[in-house]
Amino acid sequence: MSQQHSRQESPLPFTTDNTGTTTKDNAATGSATVAVFASPASWIESDALAQCHQVAALDGMTHVAAMPDLHPGKGAPIGAAMTSTVLYPFLVGSDIGCGIAVFPMKLRRAVPEKLAARFPDLDRALDPERDADDPAWAVVKGEIPAGHVEGLGTVGRGNHFVELARIETVFEPDHASRLGLATGDLVLIVHSGSRGLGERILRAHTEAHGAGPAPDPGAYLAMHDDAVRWGSLNRRLMAARVAHALGAEPTEPLVDECHNLVEVRDGVYLHRKGAARGDGRDVLIAGTRGTPSYLVTAHAGPDAGHSVAHGAGRKMSRADALRRGRAKHTVEELRRTPVGSLVVCGDRQLLFEEAPTAYKRIEQVIADLVHHDLATPVATTVPLVTYKTPDLGSASQRDRRRERGRR
């Protein structure tokens, strides 16, 4: 048995009470409290827990709340809400404003094979001049945040995706009805962030201050807020591009929640890295491309950093997922998921890195949130088509090659 597999099967290396809270002795260590909202059955890597305690030891830190999708990140845990009297840009990371939006979709017929071939090329950015007549621009109201036009209308890489899904199980009919949703309805789920804008903001800070605090919190927050608005606008642009390509009318999002951001709350800084705002909001917690996702209403309190999980959370590194996936699956197997949906992805390596088996069980993540009274499931969505990158054989990719050939 590998070391990673033994970590998966082992219980958490501490005992939690029914709030999931473990407290370090502040007087003795100078560290903040750490709360882990996960059960012993959940996969929580020791490296991720170590990162939580490293963050807890930072100057000004008062509380770290770890969600059941917790996993290690670059310098800071992913799946955590971290409260401090000091603002630390690295705790938000480079993809400021990353989030998930859900848009209702009306289509006459939803045949995955036909729809997958009609998805637009979301690697190709919309240019305000070259693509001035693209109907997707209609969703842009006012100025583009920070004047940042690079990467507009693109999804990016990693775990970002655009997914056409169907509402499957409705747990709270009244709540779903208020959102205008019922079993069988179609929705478009868009998961992406601020693309190069957030990376530019963090790089400027780290080049001058490393992982240290923001010397001018107000200046950082102004740029941060632009990136958050840009990410939200970009999700709307992508949804409009897909809607037009599939023959539907663009719609306003039912849900649009960011999970990489910092907010000033009760006079302190609440950093979220891979954690969605959970203070009375509706949140789409993403599963994998081969499992359901969960639409929940969140009601998390201060112990949980007013936050909930943002997805299933990785249980394998990308390198491990690539190595193990290549030993078990073919590319074609990964393009058709266990729920019968299709994956549009011309990047073969990304197919393996983002395989459903690389992630935790979404059902366990949701069960932990329910157990700790952080969220109530409203409905599940099941994927029909999940878009990652253009398929090399798709119409959009062929059109792009022809365009290059004419130049």
Side-chain angles (χ1 to χ4, degrees), residues 321-383:
L322 183 62
R323 175 176 53 83
R324 296 184 184 194
R326 282 175 169 168
K328 292 182 178 180
H329 304 289
T330 66
V331 167
E332 291 309 314
E333 286 173 343
L334 292 177
R335 285 179 170 160
R336 173 76 71 170
T337 76
V339 296
S341 62
L342 296 180
V343 179
V344 179
C345 184
D347 185 333
R348 294 190 172 204
Q349 179 171 322
L350 190 62
L351 267 174
F352 290 106
E353 291 176 347
E354 289 292 307
T357 51
Y359 285 82
K360 304 180 186 187
R361 291 182 62 250
I362 185 62
E363 294 82 4
Q364 184 63 57
V365 171
I366 300 300
D368 287 351
L369 294 175
V370 171
H371 173 74
H372 292 295
D373 196 27
L374 304 186
T376 299
V378 174
T380 61
T381 67
V382 173

Side-chain angles (χ1 to χ4, degrees), residues 157-172:
R157 288 293 194 268
N159 63 351
H160 294 168
F161 65 86
V162 177
E163 182 172 278
L164 182 67
R166 190 187 302 276
I167 300 294
E168 186 182 57
T169 304
V170 174
F171 304 105
E172 298 287 337

